[in-house]
Amino acid sequence: MRRQAGLQNTVAASVTLSGIGVHNGLGASLTLHPAEPDTGIVFLLTDERGREVEVPATHKNVCCTELCTRLGDANGTAVSTVEHLMAAISALAIDNLVIEVEGEEVPIMDGSAADFVNAIDQVGIVPQGAPRKFIKVLKPIRVEHGSAWGELTPADTTSFSIAIDFADETIGYQEVNFDLGADVFRDDISRARTFGFMRDVEALWSAGFALGASLENTVVVGDDRIVNPEGLRYEDEFVRHKALDAIGDLALAGAPILGCYRSLRGGHRLNVAMLKALFADPANWTVVEAPVQRAPKTAGRVEAETFAPAAAYGPEVS
Ligand SMILES: [Zn+2]
């Protein structure tokens, strides 16, 4: 069934999540609100004087990629750690949302995207009366930072090939490859948690980072073992989390990307640099619209078919 494949989507009702910020350790909550077609994903923040500020979730508003991805406006009103939430929104094919945030961070929840997926499932997703738009990659683009690199190449689907290579034997070399769709994300990626090294914790804390990090929301790697008593959720949970981060960061393109993203030793900085490189030259990309297939307006899960081959897409617009 592809009854929702061509149409933009939003949530069927507002839904709130609460937790703590992994970096500041303070209480944080957010509410996902339905939004009109062509709104995109917009964060609704509160500035120092208590005024509401809208910050669209695009690479142009990324103000920091140190340890997490932070979005903000020119006046310094910002929200941190948007990547896991953005990954869930992107993988579930949601195009339009207003995300009201209380606090300066998206709550870390359990360190994965599972709670965001659950919250969206709780209210459901509804198709809207406008065609989905995709950013189609037209040329291969490569970014390198030392021994880390990323490549974005033309493809008819949204696919990821993410690899990491840590000297630490507990992690080592890991690789994951997949076409992005809601089912793949739910089953194979969404539950992968953020991770960190025990040896880095003190330095992070003294620098004012990771104040909310704990075994409740982080896989902690000790000298030769996983510190968390429950162990790992996937044998290669580390690279799956890196893939989750990449999905969330690439969602800041402003629309789903038709292309293959490959990276080795990547992270938020490289992912965002990839987007900057993509948009640096208008010859690198174009916007394509999905053909509109009128669908019954019923709430429910958008299935993996959402990411149908681009061959089915209609005329290109830009
Ligand atoms: Zn992450």
Side-chain angles (χ1 to χ4, degrees), residues 61-231:
N61 292 323
V62 172
C63 50
C64 174
T65 52
E66 185 76 22
L67 299 173
C68 71
T69 302
R70 183 172 169 88
L71 295 174
D73 70 0
N75 300 318
T77 305
V79 58
S80 292
T81 325
V82 300
E83 59 270 18
H84 306 160
L85 170 64
M86 288 304 297
I89 290 167
S90 168
L92 298 186
I94 296 176
D95 302 282
N96 304 303
L97 280 181
V98 171
I99 305 171
E100 192 178 353
V101 178
E102 276 182 41
E104 293 175 9
E105 287 186 48
V106 169
I108 189 66
M109 311 312 290
D110 70 351
S112 78
D115 285 326
F116 302 121
V117 170
N118 292 339
I120 292 165
D121 281 348
Q122 195 186 317
V123 292
I125 298 170
V126 285
Q128 300 177 285
R132 295 199 84 199
K133 295 187 181 77
F134 296 79
I135 291 164
K136 187 170 173 59
V137 177
L138 299 177
K139 289 185 192 175
I141 302 148
R142 185 176 170 95
V143 171
E144 294 183 22
H145 288 163
S147 65
W149 57 262
E151 272 181 1
L152 201 48
T153 51
D156 291 338
T157 57
T158 304
S159 66
F160 288 83
S161 178
I162 305 293
I164 54 175
D165 191 5
F166 281 83
D168 194 294
E169 281 182 11
T170 310
I171 303 178
Y173 180 86
Q174 301 184 354
E175 183 182 327
V176 66
N177 305 286
F178 57 93
D179 266 10
L180 183 61
D183 290 346
V184 166
F185 186 76
R186 281 169 205 282
D187 295 343
D188 300 337
I189 305 293
S190 72
R191 297 176 59 249
R193 293 163 294 173
T194 194
F195 59 94
F197 293 93
M198 191 66 126
R199 59 176 178 264
D200 296 334
V201 165
E202 283 195 357
L204 286 171
W205 282 347
S206 62
F209 290 113
L211 299 176
S214 74
L215 295 177
E216 302 291 310
N217 54 41
T218 308
V219 175
V220 178
V221 182
D223 286 338
D224 56 358
R225 67 193 173 89
I226 306 296
V227 176
N228 304 56
E230 75 280 10

Side-chain angles (χ1 to χ4, degrees), residues 83-84 111 194 241 244-245 268:
E83 59 270 18
H84 306 160
T194 194
H241 187 80
L244 194 165
D245 282 341
H268 300 304

